[in-house]
Amino acid sequence: MRQPTATRRSTPAWTLLITGAAGFMAALDNLVVTTALPAIRQDLGGALTDLEWTVNSYTLSFAVLLMLGAVLGDRFGRRRLFTVGLAIFTAASAAAALAPGITALIAARAVQGAGAAIMMPLTLTLLTAAVPAARRGAALGLYGALTGVAVAGGPLIGGSLTEHISWQWIFWLNVPIGLVLLPLARLRLAESYAPNARLDVPGTLLVSGGLFGIVYALVNGHAAGWSSVPVLSGLTVGTALLLAFIRHGSISRHPMLPMRLFHNRAFLGINAAGLLMFFGMFGSIFLLSQFFQGVAGYSPTEAGLRMLPWTGMPLLVAPLAGYLSDRIGGRPVVVAGLALQAAGLALFALMLEPGVSYASQLPGLIVGGFGMALYFAPAAGIVMSSVAPGEQGIASGANSALREVGGALGVAVLGAVFAARGGFASDRAFTDGTVPALWVGAGAVALGALAALLVPGRRATAPADTKNPAQSADDRVAQAPAAV
């Protein structure tokens, strides 16, 4: 049985720097394209469905392959697969920048998502293994803060590059960063493996086909007709394949996602909350970034700046969220964050109309941003502490996958609501479509807050033995042993 290989070259600081930078790039590319969508549409053409696929081709391939990436890393070496994923992501970023048409861009984004799916679940595993237990909470908090910075910077960086250079530079930006990280990963990360890791080809095919069928149907439902054969087939076959995937994870000896993990309340609650959070957040940002430019008349850079009270709040609130999580436990912080994010979207839906002033938009932006910041800081720690060290790779992959599934479904569902109730024909039509979509997003995030209540809270008594399966997730955050 192979064990993680420790080297003196691998230090917590280097591991945090390398994995944090890689995670930052992958998270950034979820949102960096949003403020560039009007420019891409003007330059390459395409309808609403093409814009949705520009976003969803990345998030969907990312979500579908994340768990496979985690298993490949466990089996063939986490550092090795991390560098493979980083190389694919870097090359696909260059291909996206060079795309001659919307179809080529969508294809490059799909490959980009595949590269991110290979490297992302391994970032938390590598980081958890490299950082001693006493400092792991702080390291994971910094990692989560970097993700928050990527969320904050996505619309602004995308808008600034689009306005002052060209939209292609939102992808060129990744290339030099990737080229620097590749040799550093080789020199400064320790190799590690998981015992008895196996590939699950049937599970991969089932979840890939199921997610693609459902997202395809949601994105194309309005244009093709919800009763059309392709759309009904996508929904029916996709749902059947996902149900088969759940059954496969329950009865197979070595599934890519063991359904028994969801018997743990902490794992079930934080994953359901993450899926619903990203559903509401990504779907809303997809529409609001276009509202700021198409209806409010802001330039790409101005749109990114005006979204900073929402997307940039993690920069200010993450330290407070980490402190609160250490003091009172992760559950109340996550629940409060999701409730505030839902309230922010609801405030936006109440005041959104053509000609609305920016001052009227600020309450929704600030409340939503504060809530998002509270969610990000403790979420990673809850996930990693809810499973045994040997399963942290697949747990990280599953959590990231479900969040990305939520993002893809959010863009598809809120886009479908927008198309059914409004459109691009006029400012009024755009607003008429966006408002009901925001209410759907707010409702999804509110359900996420309820789901987060499943996470066990911090006990008032002394911490239990770490081997006790009933121990709370918050207790295990403080006591989790170093992964070896």
Side-chain angles (χ1 to χ4, degrees):
M1 179 175 68
R2 290 179 289 188
Q3 298 291 333
T5 303
T7 71
R8 291 195 298 176
R9 298 172 300 171
S10 177
T11 64
W14 274 111
T15 304
L16 177 60
L17 174 64
I18 295 167
T19 58
F24 177 90
M25 280 199 307
L28 183 71
D29 270 61
N30 267 321
L31 289 176
V32 74
V33 74
T34 54
T35 43
L37 288 174
I40 292 173
R41 184 168 179 242
Q42 182 178 7
D43 194 10
L44 301 182
L48 175 65
T49 55
D50 297 310
L51 297 181
E52 291 181 42
W53 278 115
T54 303
V55 176
N56 278 343
S57 60
Y58 179 88
T59 55
L60 188 57
S61 65
F62 193 6
V64 164
L65 298 175
L66 266 166
M67 288 178 281
L68 178 62
V71 174
L72 289 173
D74 289 344
R75 181 176 177 84
F76 298 111
R78 291 161 179 154
R79 182 187 66 186
R80 180 180 294 117
L81 265 293
F82 173 81
T83 56
V84 168
L86 180 58
I88 293 172
F89 181 86
T90 304
S93 296
L98 295 170
I102 192 70
T103 301
L105 177 60
I106 291 171
R109 288 278 289 166
V111 178
Q112 214 186 7
I118 297 173
M119 71 176 182
M120 272 299 286
L122 304 176
T123 57
L124 279 178
T125 311
L126 290 165
L127 183 60
T128 303
V131 179
R135 290 186 287 164
R136 192 170 297 145
L140 291 173
L142 285 172
Y143 181 94
L146 284 171
T147 301
V149 171
V151 172
L156 178 57
I157 292 172
S160 298
L161 291 174
T162 299
E163 180 178 354
H164 298 295
I165 309 179
S166 71
W167 64 262
Q168 286 86 350
W169 277 91
I170 66 177
F171 303 115
W172 282 127
L173 181 67
N174 296 323
V175 177
I177 300 175
L179 292 176
V180 170
L181 290 180
L182 281 168
L184 285 178
R186 176 65 181 169
L187 294 171
R188 295 294 182 177
L189 295 181
E191 186 60 281
S192 64
Y193 304 83
N196 304 318
R198 292 176 173 84
L199 301 181
D200 181 13
V201 176
T204 302
L205 294 176
L206 288 171
V207 72
S208 301
L211 289 175
F212 179 82
I214 290 176
V215 173
Y216 172 85
L218 291 172
V219 169
N220 292 280
H222 181 72
W226 291 103
S227 60
S228 65
V229 173
V231 171
L232 288 178
S233 298
L235 290 173
T236 303
V237 175
T239 302
L241 290 175
L242 287 182
L243 291 174
F245 173 72
I246 294 173
R247 175 171 172 77
H248 173 79
S250 302
I251 65 175
S252 175
R253 292 184 60 187
H254 303 289
M256 68 184 302
L257 179 57
M259 292 298 140
R260 59 179 172 75
L261 293 179
F262 292 95
H263 297 165
N264 182 302
R265 284 175 52 201
F267 189 80
L268 173 63
I270 196 63
N271 278 287
L275 185 149
L276 291 164
M277 160 69 173
F278 274 61
F279 180 103
M281 183 185 72
F282 271 79
S284 300
I285 288 178
F286 173 78
L287 293 172
L288 289 176
S289 62
Q290 296 180 75
F291 172 86
F292 278 123
Q293 295 179 65
V295 178
Y298 299 125
S299 70
T301 302
E302 290 171 339
L305 284 171
R306 280 162 175 76
M307 292 181 73
L308 276 179
W310 182 15
T311 60
M313 196 61 71
L315 297 176
L316 301 177
V317 181
L320 172 63
Y323 172 79
L324 290 174
S325 181
D326 289 339
R327 296 287 295 176
I328 63 175
R331 180 179 69 174
V333 180
V334 167
V335 171
L338 291 169
L340 288 172
Q341 175 71 90
L345 292 177
L347 286 173
F348 233 114
L350 287 170
M351 46 65 56
L352 201 67
E353 61 180 18
V356 64
S357 68
Y358 182 66
S360 299
Q361 301 169 36
L362 273 175
L365 290 168
I366 293 172
V367 171
F370 199 94
M372 182 169 64
L374 290 179
Y375 164 81
F376 276 128
I382 294 175
V383 172
M384 300 304 281
S385 66
S386 66
V387 297
E391 293 179 321
Q392 286 176 337
I394 193 62
S396 170
N399 177 253
S400 298
L402 288 169
R403 292 191 309 180
E404 295 305 319
V405 167
L409 291 175
V411 172
V413 172
L414 270 63
V417 173
F418 169 82
R421 300 292 298 273
F424 292 101
S426 65
D427 291 354
R428 172 55 64 186
F430 195 99
T431 305
D432 288 345
T434 301
V435 169
L438 289 177
W439 281 116
V440 173
V445 180
L447 288 176
L450 295 177
L453 291 173
L454 291 172
V455 176
R458 171 164 289 177
R459 292 183 173 183
T461 58
D465 189 340
T466 56
K467 294 182 180 181
N468 182 358
Q471 184 182 6
S472 78
D474 289 328
D475 290 337
R476 285 198 299 272
V477 168
Q479 298 186 11
V484 295

